[in-house]
Amino acid sequence: MTYWLVCNAKSGDGGRDREFWLAHLAQAGIAHPRCCDFQERDWQHELRPDDTLIVAGGDGSVNLGARVCREKQATLAILPSGTANDFARNLALPAEPEALCELIARGSTQQVDVAEHGDGIFLNVAHIGLGTLPSRESRTTEKRFFGRFSYGTQLLRRINARRGFRAIIECDKGVVQGRWLSIAVASGAFFGGGNEIPEASANDGQLDVIAVRPRPLLQLLLTFLTVRLNRQSPRRTSTLVHLKGTHCRVQTRKPKTVTADGDVVSKTPLRVSLHKGALRVVAPAIVSTARDK
């Protein structure tokens, strides 16, 4: 088995670079992993199913690593170094670098779901509408200063100026249409720097489609707080619709930008299919946001 290491020096505040992680990996017994870069592809031909690809970066870097591991049937290990690190939150990873590297050395793994859209995949969430603004407009300096809260500052700046857009949302368990402020299609349980998706996990075999209608800011905040406190999403209200399924299609009247795992990927229509347990990751457990009974 071979360990491979990819580091994104531009992730987060830049404090956890390649040398930082190499030192901690060596202390855990992983000495001299093969260092590589996503900008080059030759090394990917050498990746084997029993290898582990260690990705130090944010959700965008993890997405790239997941594509390679899924193709080669290798194991993905994550050293969270980005702004949001939402996919890493699904995996119950320890916060301390020492414990994280020791976990990778032990090799404890879980299977997680992968959402496929067109030629790409995502592990967290695809957004249409207001939810795409943080990815499209958050400035690097602002992200470094405010961290994951930069996403919220962008939304608050623009939320009152949005009238929404018309779309039809089709899932294998329901169809809704109307005017929407934001549509999110999620395969995991977190988005936007730690916001929970109720009753979800990264291995439940279900997409969670959450669509928000244009409403006054106070009404939107009250709905958000109610969902956050109850840890249970109402299936349909005057503000929010929550659908589940293994397939989803979103058709808008006019083409709209689609972002996935923090990157702009395409325009609508958006078609998503979920593949259960399609990726092997290093993790002690998978976090579930299902309400305790």
Side-chain angles (χ1 to χ4, degrees), residues 193-255:
N195 294 307
E196 292 185 2
I197 298 171
E199 305 169 85
S201 72
N203 66 347
D204 62 1
Q206 295 283 307
L207 292 168
D208 286 88
V209 183
I210 301 175
V212 181
R213 301 184 191 276
R215 293 291 184 265
L217 180 58
L218 180 59
Q219 185 173 343
L220 292 170
L221 290 174
L222 287 174
T223 300
F224 171 80
L225 289 173
T226 299
V227 170
R228 187 73 178 261
L229 292 173
N230 290 342
R231 300 191 68 191
Q232 184 176 26
S233 180
R235 293 294 173 254
R236 297 192 187 189
T237 70
S238 63
T239 303
L240 182 145
V241 173
H242 186 175
L243 302 173
K244 285 181 174 286
T246 57
H247 297 80
C248 173
R249 180 176 183 269
V250 180
Q251 176 70 56
T252 57
R253 180 172 292 183
K254 298 179 180 180

Side-chain angles (χ1 to χ4, degrees), residues 20 95 109 113 180:
F20 175 90
T109 63
D113 303 337
W180 309 99

Side-chain angles (χ1 to χ4, degrees), residues 1-4 46-53 72-75 280:
M1 183 187 75
T2 301
Y3 290 101
W4 303 77
E46 301 181 48
L47 198 67
R48 297 291 180 262
D50 62 343
D51 290 351
T52 297
L53 176 60
K72 301 296 184 179
Q73 297 183 325
T75 300
R280 185 170 64 250

Side-chain angles (χ1 to χ4, degrees), residues 59-60 63 67 86 115-117 120-138 151 155 165 181-187 191-192 250 252 255-272:
D59 290 326
N63 183 295
R67 296 186 202 183
D86 281 313
E116 190 173 86
H117 64 95
I121 66 169
F122 62 86
L123 303 175
N124 291 322
V125 63
H127 276 296
I128 303 169
L130 190 67
T132 67
L133 291 179
S135 300
R136 294 161 59 192
E137 299 184 358
S138 282
Y151 298 110
L155 295 183
F165 58 94
L181 188 67
S182 177
I183 299 172
V185 183
S187 62
F191 72 99
V250 180
T252 57
K256 300 287 292 182
T257 297
V258 178
T259 62
D261 288 351
D263 292 324
V264 176
V265 294
S266 65
K267 296 281 188 179
T268 54
L270 172 67
R271 296 177 178 86
V272 182

Side-chain angles (χ1 to χ4, degrees), residues 3-7 18 22 32-37 40 43:
Y3 290 101
W4 303 77
L5 175 64
V6 179
C7 290
R18 177 182 292 180
L22 282 173
H32 310 297
R34 294 186 62 177
C35 295
C36 46
D37 193 299
E40 302 173 358
W43 63 271

